[in-house]
Amino acid sequence: MMKFRFRRQGTDPQREKIKQELFAFNKTVEHGFPHQPSALAFDPKLELMAIGTKSGAIKVYGSPGVEFTGLHSDTTAVTQIHFLPGQGRLLSLLDDNTIHLWELVGGAPREVGGVKKEGVIILQEVDSYSLPGRPGIESCSATRVTVLLLLRSCDLLCIGTEGGGVYFLELPCLSLKDNLTLPQDQVTQSLPDDYRCGKSLGPVESLQEHPQQPGKILIGYSRGLVVLWDLSTRHTEQLFLGKQQLESLVWERSGNLFVSSHNDGGYSVWPVTNGNTCHQQPVSSTVPYGPFPCKAINKILWRTTQTGSPVLLYSGGMPRASYGDRHCLTIQRDKEHVTLDFTSRVIDFFTVHNVEQEKEFDDPSAVVVLLEEELVVIDLLTPGWPSLPTPYLAPLHSSAITCSFHVSSVSPKLWERLVNAGRAQQGRQQAHGSWPICGGKNLAPPPKQQELLLTGHEDGTVRFWDASGVALTPLYKLSTANVFHTDCDPCDEPHDPSDDPDMQQEEEWPPFRKVGCFDPYSDDPRLGIQKISLCKYSNKLLVAGTAGQVIVLGLSDERSEHTVDVSVVDLLQDREGFTWKGHDRLEPRLKPPPFPPGFQPQVLVQCMPPASVTAVALHAEWNLISFGTSHGFGLFDYHRRNAVLARCTLHPNDSLAMEGPLSRVKSLKKSLRQSFRRIRKSRVSGKKRPIATPTSKVQEANAALAEQEDVAPIQRRIEPRSADDSLSGVVRCLCFADTFLRDGTHHGATLWAGTNSGSVYAYALEVPGVGSGRVCERGGAGESSVCVEAVLGKEIQLMHRAPVVSISVLDGRGKPLPDPYEASQDLSIAPDMTNAHSVLIASEEQLKVFSLPKVSAKTKFKLTAHEGCRVRKVALVVFGSTAQEDYSEHTLVCLTNLGDMHLFTIPGLRPQVRHDCIRKEDISGIASCVFTKNGQGFYLVSPSEYERFSLSAKVVTEALCSVQLDRPLEHTPASDGSTTQANGTHKNQMGQAEGQTEEPPIALSSPLMDPPLSSPLMDTPLDSPLSCADLTLDSTGEITVEDVRDFLTTVDEAENNLKNIKEEEGRSTGILIN
């Protein structure tokens, strides 16, 4: 019978202190491009840029590493943002008609890396205002704000409304000045009778202050009327009787003329003279892309230059019939004319130019364009007006992200080679100008190590990002599409940067030029990257895709023309009765184009059937790769170009695995049958279960294995699985390890594989020359006689049949084995090969440690005991202490489907802390989470943004910055140590004790608070992950819940393994042995 001995100890104060020095949860930075941007502003004095989003977030950016984030209390779209230049203040207008004042205020000093940082600034909302409505039915629409204008004195805010009235707010107190209000009726009275005609002037579309005469405001109404209003005398100076619906206005710097844009795709130039009070016609009126009907010019800018020819910039205006669906911005100067063609909608744009009054000309140096999916900066000083590379705000989702991989402690040599490869890609496209948004000062210490974040994309590209600091900077882009024939094949000719559409204009009208890198359309969905693995010591990269393609790439600094070796691995072997109904494989090119410097493909392994690759493993020291799909897994020696192993994991009912993710031939009848099975199973599993004896458990397991279709509900102590039972053959994880599998005295290379049905396969590998470098040329004499061999050593079947999420081998000290090359090149502490090893197997339901080589259970922890959560991601992380420089602990980090993080000691599996990290409704965020080796992590909070978080008290990457303001800097109370993230989640500042921060009033949603690290947590159940009590599991006499098939043990060892189930001596060794 089962015997469990639990030993509860009191809370150890010393251990609690150590935990506080090791663990602390912080959400720190949001990398990438803001999701659904809706407003843009620029402070020319502080050189800061602000972006507002539809979710109510405001993000302020300066030089790389300078970032501030604020969040309105309501998830209402930000429609306009305006800086108070030089003051560190900004105004935001929301879609709910409220105006909010934000300030950059001084935060409490913080200690970073042992150094106290003063002058840290945060963004904080200080006031808000809502324009009161008039009594009557139409009060809401009449006072709805349409446009804001901040006067240069920064003490008055002009508010244009939908009802045509103009109101004035005193700043910074946000109080209404009733005596300055300008109702539309007052303007109407000054109009000529023939223009009045009883029609309303419409909403106020634009407000612009005179550039040379403060207090004179240009007011543009939707109907086309433009009024020059003198605020001091409160009367109309001049009228401009436009007859076309108005979109926007802009002054020329001297104030002698202004330009209006209209909804017919044209713009007009109006003179401003002292003698004439009423202008019937403009000086000139132009429809640049006429004569056929055109779309509206939404915004126009007129900038003067020393050369004499002004720079004209405007968005929209395209011919409605031919190019009405294009998103364009036009730049004109003299005879130069470029129509920038974007792939997403233009939200807003501004120019970086001279704003000092003593300057005679604007002389714009750059134009910054905010698009719906990216930010584009055009250098106006360089001939050809090229785009500037962005040091941050790069669109992560230029093609949809499908997977990610993090590499820490990258060597300077590899880093330099990647940077050079990225520069070679840019070629002559790179502009000479500097990044124009360069305000503020980054106070964060330089990173101690270089970190890479690799993202795989739907279009078959892998992008390399500098993830060392706050700014996520693009380094290099690798494309795998040129290895294959696709529906839209790239040209086979070598790529010349001068042929790039970004560098030349097409001979057509309008003169379009493709700009930006956001391209959501994939030539072929089969190109999508599913798995990535990089060895930073050998510079080998493994990339696997949707159509079963597995590519091994090597890093080269030179352009290369070579053919890629292709090998086909049949994972079905000789299985009969299975027919692949999914997509075809990608056909490799017989003569691919020359490969540019960077990672270049060396070997292509094609899995058959061409199903999506679900797991990969790379061991560069052994020159081996392993890969798995929904049909099985394979082992390949890329040095000798030969397949070592192919193992099919399909079961008889795995017909759904033959249809593929892109297939449309699923049987409706079969889907209905499976749905009813799940419903029936859920009803049965909900009933009261009888008390089972050990004998009955063995019989139930035997019956389940014989049936091979549905696990008996009585075995399950949680809800039935939602995963399709017919996908049980999916390979979930693969792992290489140098450990003990044959016996306890001889260690060697092994391969471990876990599947969706709870099966674990362990293979003993014979790798020639392990430890001797295996440096030899391909095709050498006797190569076939030294091939790698694989022999099945163990086969483990978890009784609960939950998918195996992760497999890790621990050395004699209970530490994870080092990565390839780390031990042989003395880059890490050598593993303990004298004491017995163990293997940590994490399934969706429990964590369990088995001893090796006999695979007997040592310790386990069942997470399903806590609210039925399931394991989604697992990582082994090193946590350093903030108190002792040389103290660290290896910890198991576990992310569940509820979005919470559980931390366990290894190999004891004692729970340490738990944090709510991701909303449980955010399924894509949980699926995209990736951990670093030093206690940080990333997950997607939107298609274009990574949220960075830290579980470590020592390693935190967050924005620490200061700004030199024109006003005295106010400081927040020292107790206020929390801010909010743009996605509405809570963020604890570094150095703050967990659980001591109350939710700020401007949070979007209630944050999931973390328990205090110092809490003894004695109120939680003993079997809960929240319990910190010492749990010791005695498995003496236990009937285990695993089926272990040992293919390498002797007869004596097999008999010894059966000693605890004497009553079952007559059955085969394939079922339920200890």
Side-chain angles (χ1 to χ4, degrees):
M1 62 180 294
M2 286 190 178
K3 288 193 218 171
F4 295 97
R5 281 205 311 265
F6 296 101
R7 181 173 71 252
R8 178 187 289 273
Q9 295 178 348
T11 303
D12 183 3
Q14 182 63 26
R15 180 59 190 168
E16 293 301 317
K17 183 176 182 295
I18 294 175
K19 282 160 61 175
Q20 286 188 348
E21 296 167 354
L22 292 173
F23 312 120
F25 178 69
N26 293 285
K27 287 186 178 180
T28 54
V29 185
E30 288 175 357
H31 295 300
F33 184 76
H35 185 50
Q36 295 182 325
S38 55
L40 177 69
F42 181 64
D43 186 334
K45 290 187 178 180
L46 298 181
E47 296 179 307
L48 297 176
M49 176 183 68
I51 294 178
T53 70
K54 290 184 178 180
S55 61
I58 289 183
K59 299 191 174 186
V60 180
Y61 301 92
S63 60
V66 176
E67 294 184 12
F68 309 97
T69 300
L71 193 66
H72 294 90
S73 56
D74 296 324
T75 55
T76 308
V78 180
T79 57
Q80 292 183 47
I81 307 177
H82 297 270
F83 273 102
L84 279 68
Q87 297 187 20
R89 293 189 175 108
L90 58 89
L91 292 160
S92 62
L93 171 65
L94 301 188
D95 199 37
D96 62 1
N97 214 41
T98 57
I99 299 171
H100 300 257
L101 177 64
W102 295 79
E103 285 186 357
L104 294 176
V105 296
R110 280 182 267 171
E111 189 170 327
V112 183
V115 180
K116 194 173 183 180
K117 293 291 183 181
E118 302 277 357
V120 177
I121 290 181
I122 61 174
L123 182 64
Q124 180 176 295
E125 182 181 353
V126 295
D127 204 355
S128 63
Y129 179 82
S130 181
L131 199 63
R134 297 179 187 171
I137 300 176
E138 299 182 357
S139 60
C140 292
S141 61
T143 57
R144 181 169 183 82
V145 179
T146 56
V147 63
L148 299 177
L149 169 66
L150 180 68
L151 298 188
R152 280 197 303 277
S153 58
C154 293
D155 57 357
L156 207 59
L157 178 68
C158 310
I159 305 173
T161 62
E162 203 166 286
V166 180
Y167 301 84
F168 297 88
L169 277 186
E170 188 177 356
L171 295 178
C173 58
L174 294 184
S175 60
L176 183 65
K177 308 251 322 171
D178 288 322
N179 59 323
L180 297 180
T181 300
L182 174 62
Q184 191 179 93
D185 299 342
Q186 187 173 343
V187 175
T188 307
Q189 292 171 6
S190 61
L191 295 177
D193 294 338
D194 59 340
Y195 190 84
R196 199 178 310 172
C197 298
K199 294 181 182 179
S200 170
L201 299 179
V204 178
E205 290 291 342
S206 184
L207 294 170
Q208 298 292 333
E209 187 180 13
H210 197 290
Q212 303 297 332
Q213 302 176 29
K216 291 187 179 181
I217 304 169
L218 211 56
I219 305 172
Y221 295 91
S222 177
R223 181 178 158 189
L225 173 70
V226 179
V227 176
L228 182 58
W229 176 261
D230 192 329
L231 191 59
S232 58
T233 61
R234 289 189 47 77
H235 78 278
T236 303
E237 278 208 353
Q238 296 187 47
L239 296 174
F240 305 89
L241 307 180
K243 295 180 175 59
Q244 191 64 40
Q245 182 175 325
L246 184 71
E247 293 292 331
S248 72
L249 298 171
V250 62
W251 280 103
E252 189 261 349
R253 188 179 182 92
S254 66
N256 295 326
L257 59 88
F258 69 88
V259 183
S260 62
S261 68
H262 304 276
N263 77 329
D264 64 344
Y267 64 88
S268 302
V269 179
W270 299 83
V272 181
T273 57
N274 295 328
N276 193 358
T277 59
C278 185
H279 298 266
Q280 298 282 349
Q281 296 292 334
V283 173
S284 65
S285 186
T286 308
V287 181
Y289 298 113
F292 299 106
C294 297
K295 300 195 74 174
I297 293 181
N298 303 309
K299 180 178 179 177
I300 190 166
L301 295 178
W302 179 292
R303 300 292 182 236
T304 58
T305 63
Q306 292 186 20
T307 59
S309 299
V311 178
L312 190 64
L313 310 98
Y314 52 89
S315 59
M318 288 294 102
R320 190 177 295 274
S322 305
Y323 305 108
D325 58 342
R326 299 283 187 104
H327 310 290
C328 297
L329 175 76
T330 300
I331 307 177
Q332 292 179 234
R333 183 177 61 187
D334 201 10
K335 294 182 180 180
E336 294 179 272
H337 188 133
V338 173
T339 305
L340 304 178
D341 188 10
F342 305 108
T343 53
S344 58
R345 184 169 60 91
V346 177
I347 303 297
D348 201 355
F349 63 96
F350 64 83
T351 57
V352 180
H353 60 278
N354 295 327
V355 293
E356 296 84 359
Q357 287 293 322
E358 59 271 13
K359 298 284 186 179
E360 185 179 354
F361 300 100
D362 293 315
D363 286 329
S365 60
V367 56
V368 179
V369 188
L370 176 65
L371 306 166
E372 201 167 34
E373 304 292 351
E374 62 182 319
L375 184 82
V376 174
V377 180
I378 304 296
D379 183 4
L380 297 179
L381 298 179
T382 303
W385 296 332
S387 55
L388 285 167
T390 56
Y392 51 83
L393 285 175
L396 303 175
H397 64 317
S398 52
S399 176
I401 295 176
T402 50
C403 63
S404 56
F405 185 81
H406 184 269
V407 184
S408 58
S409 302
V410 179
S411 66
K413 180 63 177 176
L414 173 58
W415 191 268
E416 182 184 0
R417 296 177 70 183
L418 287 173
V419 171
N420 291 336
R423 288 174 180 165
Q425 283 181 335
Q426 293 175 350
R428 293 198 298 269
Q429 301 176 36
Q430 188 169 1
H432 302 294
S434 58
W435 183 248
I437 305 158
C438 51
K441 182 181 179 182
N442 185 11
L443 300 179
K448 296 180 180 179
Q449 61 182 25
Q450 304 286 3
E451 297 184 19
L452 275 177
L453 180 65
L454 280 65
T455 54
H457 297 264
E458 193 179 42
D459 61 354
T461 59
V462 178
R463 287 172 167 81
F464 292 67
W465 306 87
D466 178 1
S468 310
V470 173
L472 192 68
T473 307
L475 293 178
Y476 164 70
K477 182 177 79 170
L478 164 71
S479 177
T480 61
N482 55 358
V483 181
F484 306 99
H485 287 288
T486 59
D487 296 336
C488 301
D489 279 340
C491 181
D492 287 336
E493 294 299 321
H495 178 71
D496 187 353
S498 64
D499 296 333
D500 195 284
D502 191 38
M503 294 304 299
Q504 67 175 16
Q505 301 178 13
E506 302 173 9
E507 294 182 0
E508 61 175 328
W509 185 261
F512 289 119
R513 191 177 86 195
K514 290 283 186 184
V515 177
C517 59
F518 177 72
D519 184 12
Y521 307 107
S522 173
D523 293 342
D524 195 323
R526 297 174 295 174
L527 290 170
I529 306 298
Q530 296 298 323
K531 296 293 175 182
I532 303 171
S533 182
L534 173 66
C535 176
K536 61 186 178 183
Y537 302 112
S538 63
N539 301 332
K540 293 293 183 183
L541 176 65
L542 178 62
V543 173
T546 304
Q549 70 270 29
V550 182
I551 307 174
V552 180
L553 304 101
L555 186 60
S556 174
D557 298 327
E558 301 295 333
R559 189 183 182 91
S560 174
E561 296 188 30
H562 65 269
T563 58
V564 180
D565 293 335
V566 180
S567 297
V568 178
V569 177
D570 182 14
L571 296 180
L572 287 182
Q573 297 296 295
D574 53 355
R575 291 288 184 101
E576 296 181 356
F578 291 99
T579 304
W580 174 248
K581 302 175 184 177
H583 51 266
D584 295 331
R585 59 177 282 189
L586 284 163
E587 290 297 327
R589 287 176 177 267
L590 297 177
K591 186 180 179 183
F595 299 106
F599 279 100
Q600 299 171 351
Q602 297 175 344
V603 185
L604 166 63
V605 181
Q606 179 63 55
C607 301
M608 295 301 290
S612 179
V613 178
T614 56
V616 295
L618 166 67
H619 201 296
E621 194 170 4
W622 300 341
N623 293 333
L624 294 176
I625 61 169
S626 183
F627 43 86
T629 70
S630 54
H631 308 118
F633 58 92
L635 179 64
F636 189 84
D637 183 346
Y638 62 82
H639 182 73
R640 293 176 175 80
R641 267 59 166 180
N642 73 296
V644 178
L645 167 70
R647 171 66 185 256
C648 182
T649 56
L650 286 176
H651 293 283
N653 62 331
D654 275 354
S655 56
L656 186 62
M658 305 306 296
E659 297 184 359
L662 305 178
S663 172
R664 297 184 181 179
V665 295
K666 292 184 180 180
S667 167
L668 176 62
K669 181 178 179 182
K670 182 180 176 202
S671 299
L672 289 172
R673 185 188 305 121
Q674 290 166 351
S675 299
F676 280 114
R677 267 186 197 160
R678 286 195 295 268
I679 294 172
R680 185 165 59 249
K681 191 163 67 173
S682 66
R683 289 174 179 170
V684 173
S685 63
K687 296 178 181 178
K688 186 176 180 180
R689 300 177 178 85
I691 299 175
T693 63
T695 304
S696 66
K697 284 191 174 184
V698 174
Q699 293 170 350
E700 289 160 5
N702 290 341
L705 289 173
E707 185 180 342
Q708 285 191 350
E709 183 156 1
D710 288 330
V711 181
I714 197 169
Q715 298 173 28
R716 303 295 302 279
R717 297 193 177 274
I718 64 164
E719 298 176 3
R721 312 204 66 78
S722 60
D724 199 328
D725 294 335
S726 59
L727 291 176
S728 57
V730 176
V731 177
R732 294 289 295 270
C733 58
L734 293 162
C735 168
F736 286 108
D738 184 1
T739 188
F740 301 91
L741 190 63
R742 298 177 181 273
D743 53 56
T745 57
H746 301 89
H747 62 86
T750 61
L751 170 67
W752 299 74
T755 71
N756 223 30
S757 60
S759 299
V760 178
Y761 304 91
Y763 280 82
L765 308 180
E766 292 289 345
V767 182
V770 170
S772 60
R774 296 184 63 202
V775 179
C776 59
E777 295 294 328
R778 265 185 66 214
E783 180 183 334
S784 59
S785 63
V786 291
C787 290
V788 178
E789 297 180 0
V791 180
L792 181 61
K794 311 279 184 185
E795 185 176 332
I796 307 169
Q797 176 62 59
L798 304 181
M799 186 177 183
H800 56 294
R801 290 183 173 266
V804 179
V805 178
S806 171
I807 301 174
S808 303
V809 176
L810 309 178
D811 69 2
R813 294 186 296 266
K815 309 295 184 186
L817 296 181
D819 289 338
Y821 287 109
E822 286 188 344
S824 61
Q825 298 185 7
D826 296 328
L827 300 171
S828 69
I829 300 176
D832 183 355
M833 309 300 284
T834 57
N835 297 312
H837 285 196
S838 54
V839 59
L840 170 60
I841 298 178
S843 72
E844 282 193 358
E845 295 181 6
Q846 70 177 7
L847 312 170
K848 196 155 189 176
V849 177
F850 297 87
S851 63
L852 291 177
K854 293 189 176 181
V855 195
S856 58
K858 293 176 63 177
T859 320
K860 71 176 179 181
F861 192 95
K862 194 168 186 179
L863 272 86
T864 52
H866 175 61
E867 299 180 3
C869 60
R870 297 174 186 166
V871 178
R872 286 290 181 260
K873 302 278 183 177
V874 169
L876 294 175
V877 176
V878 179
F879 286 90
S881 172
T882 57
Q884 305 176 48
E885 188 66 30
D886 57 346
Y887 181 78
S888 63
E889 288 187 10
H890 286 81
T891 305
L892 176 71
V893 179
C894 173
L895 171 66
T896 73
N897 63 324
L898 301 180
D900 50 0
M901 301 279 183
H902 300 262
L903 276 66
F904 300 89
T905 61
I906 56 171
L909 296 184
R910 294 188 179 91
Q912 299 301 294
V913 292
R914 171 189 167 275
H915 301 290
D916 291 307
C917 182
I918 311 174
R919 293 182 302 109
K920 63 181 179 181
E921 298 84 8
D922 188 4
I923 299 174
S924 62
I926 295 173
S928 64
C929 185
V930 57
F931 296 101
T932 73
K933 290 188 175 182
N934 57 11
Q936 298 189 86
F938 304 82
Y939 68 93
L940 288 172
V941 288
S942 72
S944 59
E945 288 175 292
Y946 270 112
E947 174 78 78
R948 188 178 191 135
F949 63 89
S950 176
L951 299 167
S952 170
K954 184 176 183 179
V955 182
V956 180
T957 302
E958 65 174 346
L960 298 172
C961 35
S962 65
V963 179
Q964 191 68 35
L965 305 178
D966 292 349
R967 60 176 175 85
L969 187 64
E970 299 178 12
H971 289 268
T972 57
S975 60
D976 184 14
S978 63
T979 61
T980 47
Q981 294 291 84
N983 63 342
T985 53
H986 187 68
K987 169 183 137 180
N988 289 325
Q989 298 291 352
M990 186 185 62
Q992 175 186 355
E994 293 292 318
Q996 296 178 358
T997 304
E998 296 181 357
E999 178 185 352
I1002 56 172
L1004 265 179
S1005 58
S1006 298
L1008 301 171
M1009 300 304 293
D1010 305 319
L1013 285 177
S1014 58
S1015 171
L1017 300 173
M1018 298 302 293
D1019 298 332
T1020 56
L1022 187 61
D1023 57 351
S1024 167
L1026 293 175
S1027 173
C1028 292
D1030 184 13
L1031 303 183
T1032 302
L1033 172 62
D1034 183 2
S1035 58
T1036 305
E1038 175 192 4
I1039 301 297
T1040 64
V1041 293
E1042 276 76 39
D1043 163 27
V1044 181
R1045 295 176 183 172
D1046 194 340
F1047 296 89
L1048 295 174
T1049 56
T1050 62
V1051 177
D1052 295 337
E1053 288 173 334
E1055 290 178 355
N1056 190 38
N1057 287 339
L1058 291 170
K1059 64 181 179 181
N1060 288 324
I1061 47 172
K1062 297 292 186 180
E1063 67 274 18
E1064 293 295 321
E1065 284 179 352
R1067 72 178 177 85
S1068 66
T1069 58
I1071 311 293
L1072 284 177
I1073 66 173
N1074 193 13

